[in-house]
Amino acid sequence: MKKLITLFTIQLILAASMLFAKEVTISVGAGECWKQKSEPQFALWIEDENGNFIKTLYVTQRAGKKKWRMAPKDGRPESLPVWYHKSQNEISKTEPELDAVTSATPKGGIIFSAETGSKNCRICAEFNTSFDYNETFTKKNSGVNGQPSVIYQAELPADFSDEILLKLTGTGSLDGSNGEIHPVPETLTTAHKIVKAVAVKAVN
């Protein structure tokens, strides 16, 4: 009897989550600096209004599975430091779920569907290209990274229906030591041209 009640409860929870899930279409438009020496690594995720991580919506394969060429065992957290630090529990505990939203870097932007839930939330995107050097971020002071990762964000009201554009809000840690978001430095050159636009549009 207890097993039947438990099963019924689980079914109700799943049904409720499907009923209140909000389906969206996310478009990532390639910018003029999308493809340089290498294609960018990027991740998109949602978090609550207080900045608590909820789930990954998309992540490139090399970053998500730590399949870096000639990299340390722990990979390259400096590539997407904000996402890496926020998603640590997801990476370690729900690898099959992460596999479902992981793919090779698209050649020229991407459009995909996702679910954001029924409550107000924040959508975040982080982009980075290796060896993206300029006069300020040199090989000597920024390692493999070059310019730091760039962070785009937007608030998603539960009842939004129009298209919402993410805005450039900061950069990640240059050495990957933390998940803090720093103010956008004036010395960025090609890094903020990796993407042309990131947009979210409600489907239902």
Side-chain angles (χ1 to χ4, degrees):
M1 184 64 178
K2 287 184 178 180
K3 288 184 179 180
L4 288 174
I5 293 174
T6 302
L7 181 60
F8 181 67
T9 302
I10 293 173
Q11 289 174 334
L12 282 177
I13 293 172
L14 290 174
S17 64
M18 293 178 64
L19 178 64
F20 293 108
K22 189 175 189 69
E23 186 178 355
V24 299
T25 298
I26 300 173
S27 305
V28 177
E32 60 183 272
C33 295
W34 179 268
K35 179 72 166 77
Q36 297 186 74
K37 289 186 177 180
S38 60
E39 291 168 337
Q41 300 303 314
F42 63 96
L44 291 98
W45 69 94
I46 53 173
E47 52 189 45
D48 65 22
E49 295 175 292
N50 296 317
N52 297 306
F53 180 86
I54 297 176
K55 67 174 181 178
T56 299
L57 302 178
Y58 181 93
V59 62
T60 46
Q61 190 173 64
R62 193 170 292 172
K65 296 188 175 182
K66 299 182 179 180
K67 291 187 175 181
W68 304 100
R69 293 190 293 267
M70 299 176 65
K73 182 179 180 181
D74 292 335
R76 287 194 49 233
E78 73 274 13
S79 62
L80 301 174
V82 179
W83 176 77
Y84 271 120
H85 283 270
K86 282 183 173 286
S87 65
Q88 281 305 303
N89 289 335
E90 182 185 54
I91 292 174
S92 61
K93 296 179 181 178
T94 58
E95 189 172 340
E97 291 183 22
L98 193 59
D99 286 345
V101 295
T102 302
S103 73
T105 302
K107 299 297 182 182
I110 187 173
I111 299 175
F112 64 97
S113 297
E115 291 183 349
T116 59
S118 60
K119 298 181 179 180
N120 296 345
C121 65
R122 181 182 300 126
I123 184 167
C124 307
E126 185 172 22
F127 300 85
N128 193 12
T129 302
S130 300
F131 314 109
D132 191 12
Y133 304 118
N134 64 17
E135 291 184 358
T136 302
F137 300 98
T138 65
K139 186 176 182 179
K140 185 176 181 179
N141 65 28
S142 60
V144 176
N145 231 18
Q147 295 170 71
S149 64
V150 287
I151 313 298
Y152 292 76
Q153 296 178 316
E155 302 297 327
L156 296 184
D159 59 351
F160 87 96
S161 56
D162 297 328
E163 183 176 75
I164 294 178
L165 292 175
L166 279 66
K167 296 181 179 180
L168 177 63
T169 57
T171 60
S173 166
L174 193 60
D175 63 2
S177 60
N178 60 65
E180 297 176 7
I181 298 177
H182 305 276
V184 179
E186 295 182 359
T187 50
L188 286 187
T189 52
T190 52
H192 60 72
K193 298 178 182 179
I194 296 173
V195 288
K196 185 175 183 179
V198 184
V200 185
K201 188 174 183 179
V203 175
N204 56 2

